[in-house]
């Protein structure tokens, strides 16, 4: 069964009911079917062939959703790009995925063979054939590509198929959202290129409405949640902190049944405040690009004081194991790497067979790179990441990438980039550099502007005479991080 067939069936069943809302624009299920058919046909008429990659660089909104599912119907492979990244980052992903087309709002970072500006979409849709667009493809072929970073900092694309998508939908419907019905409403306040996008199909397939906010602000979120009677939402931990800072949140009468959060560690203090203010609606999701948001979940009733630091239990169709350095499966309480297996995992990295072989075992177990432990009842506790990836505001920052930019400055000889704990952003990017010529921290931060997306830019830079090194001369990020944290604690205890 293909995603496209499921969409068509739901659209026929729920016809005139609202499927999608953005501001004052409402699209019914029947219209959604129609728009995605026409656009899918128009894209094929432009010369795209099933299996071709199409990069999409659009803001959160109805247009982006229509494009995503037109691609699904036409058998084209979606490559969503995050608007907050720089043109250089976009250009890399467009080239690496060998995208034949780019659908974009604003300046295109590069001009692939086919470039479609968002303003052209209505014309394309009008011209596209209204016949049902249904391209049959092998369900094991790529359905979408999701970019991740990996330990070296070079982004890699994760290949997700029709099958991985179906597993994600099934896990969501069974474990998270078993009561969805045509009166349910999903509020997308976080980018649909990331976690929030995973909630779209479960709602659509059950006749529920998806409301898309162009941009998250606490006020816009509260207003939309009340106005549309939102029953489900997904926020990254940073957004929850921001929402709790907003005085109006405490008085809001939110109809939310589930406030899902995840994608990054959450501070327990934030979670406690959230539960006090918004009630027992919090649901934690743990996943990664390689196994999208569906490894474990912590249900609202499991948010008890002793479990607040847990990421929950595996979804119905998911296996999870913690293994030691030697590959041995560990018992309760023992700390090791988290592995997962099941139909929810990626098929591999796009055109990187060696990386794939290192990440997925022959018997299907996927190495997550996360370090954790499981308790007697099967609850997973995540401790750290095996590599040094930083997650700031829900977005990944790979230290190496930031270091490379700092090192391209003529005065910088060495650089180490680490994440420091931050109540609001989860982590904030900090750097320590060794210089060969005079340069101020402000000057170096300024240098990173324009060369790195805002969320990757160091918030703080220190200049040290030398960096701590390992025996083989590699700079030790962990030691740098520990020294920065100790120094800030000293300042705090003095202040
Ligand atoms: P990404 O591939 O961008 O989705 O990042 C995935 C990584 O984010 C995971 O491997 C974890 O390290 C982290 N992560 C995701 N969800 C959670 C969670 N609920 N709690 C702690 N860390 C998480």
């Amino acid at each position: 069964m293909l995603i496209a067939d499921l969409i068509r069936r739901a659209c026929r069943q729920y016809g005139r009911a609202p499927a999608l809302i953005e501001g004052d624009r409402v699209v019914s299920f029947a219209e959604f079917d129609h728009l995605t058919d026409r656009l899918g046909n128009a894209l094929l008429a432009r010369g795209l062939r099933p299996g071709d990659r199409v990069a999409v660089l659009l803001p959160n909104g109805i247009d982006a959703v229509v494009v995503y599912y037109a691609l699904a119907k036409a058998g084209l492979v979606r490559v969503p790009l995050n608007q907050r990244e720089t043109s250089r980052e976009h250009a890399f992903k467009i080239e690496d995925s060998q995208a034949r087309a780019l659908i974009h709002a604003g300046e295109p970072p590069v001009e692939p063979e086919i470039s479609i500006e968002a303003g052209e979409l209505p014309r394309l849709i009008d011209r596209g054939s209204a016949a049902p667009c249904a391209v049959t493809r092998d369900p094991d072929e790529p359905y979408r590509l999701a970019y991740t970073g990996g330990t070296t900092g070079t982004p890699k694309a994760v290949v997700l198929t029709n099958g991985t998508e179906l597993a994600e939908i099934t896990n969501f419907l069974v474990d998270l959202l078993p009561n969805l019905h045509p009166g349910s409403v999903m509020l997308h306040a976080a980018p649909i290129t990331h976690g929030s996008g995973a909630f779209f199909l479960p709602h659509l397939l059950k006749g529920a409405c998806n409301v898309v906010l162009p941009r998250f602000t606490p006020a816009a979120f509260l207003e939309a949640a009340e106005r549309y009677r939102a029953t489900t939402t997904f926020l990254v931990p940073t957004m929850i902190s921001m929402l709790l800072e907003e005085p109006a949140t405490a008085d809001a009468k939110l109809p939310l049944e589930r406030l899902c959060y995840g994608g990054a560690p959450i501070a327990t203090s934030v979670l406690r405040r959230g539960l006090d203010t918004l009630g027992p609606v919090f649901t934690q999701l743990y996943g990664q690009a390689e196994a999208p948001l569906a490894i474990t979940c912590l249900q609202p009733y499991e948010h008890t004081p002793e479990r607040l630091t847990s990421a929950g239990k595996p979804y119905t169709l998911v296996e999870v194991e913690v293994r030691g350095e030697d590959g041995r499966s560990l018992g309760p309480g023992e700390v090791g790497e988290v592995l997962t297996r099941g139909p929810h995992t990626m098929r591999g990295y796009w055109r990187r067979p060696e990386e794939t072989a290192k990440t997925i075992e022959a018997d299907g177990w996927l190495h997550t790179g996360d370090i954790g432990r499981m308790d007697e009842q099967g609850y997973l506790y995540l401790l750290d990441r095996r590599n040094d990836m930083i997650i700031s505001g829900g977005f990944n920052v790979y230290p190496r990438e930031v270091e490379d930019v700092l090192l391209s400055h003529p005065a910088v000889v060495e650089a180490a980039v680490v994440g420091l704990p931050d109540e609001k952003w989860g982590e904030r990017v900090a750097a320590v550099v060794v210089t060969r010529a005079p340069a101020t921290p402000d000057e170096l931060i300024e240098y990173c502007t324009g060369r790195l997306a805002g969320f990757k830019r160091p918030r703080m830079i220190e200049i040290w005479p030398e960096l701590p090194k390992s025996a083989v001369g590699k700079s030790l990020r962990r030691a740098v991080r520990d020294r920065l944290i100790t120094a800030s604690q000293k300042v705090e205890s003095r202040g």
Side-chain angles (χ1 to χ4, degrees), residues 2 27 56 119 258 274 313 328 424 476 493:
L2 294 176
V27 172
V56 186
R258 288 218 178 221
K313 286 191 295 200
R328 195 174 47 90
K424 179 168 178 195
L476 291 172
S493 63

Side-chain angles (χ1 to χ4, degrees), residues 148 262-265 284-289 370 382 385 389 391 396:
T148 178
Q284 182 176 169
L285 316 184
Y286 160 54
Q288 57 177 196
D370 288 315
L382 295 169
R385 277 146 285 168
M389 182 177 87
I391 303 183
N396 295 350

Side-chain angles (χ1 to χ4, degrees), residues 367-387:
H367 290 261
T368 63
D370 288 315
I371 301 296
R373 65 182 164 81
M374 253 181 167
D375 70 11
E376 295 276 357
Q377 286 80 38
Y379 284 92
L380 181 69
Y381 293 78
L382 295 169
L383 305 178
D384 209 343
R385 277 146 285 168
R386 201 169 67 167
N387 55 46

Side-chain angles (χ1 to χ4, degrees), residues 288-307:
Q288 57 177 196
E290 291 84 346
L293 280 186
I295 300 175
T296 62
C297 63
L298 187 74
Q299 301 285 359
Y301 68 87
E302 293 169 323
H303 278 66
T304 52
E306 66 285 3
R307 292 246 155 78

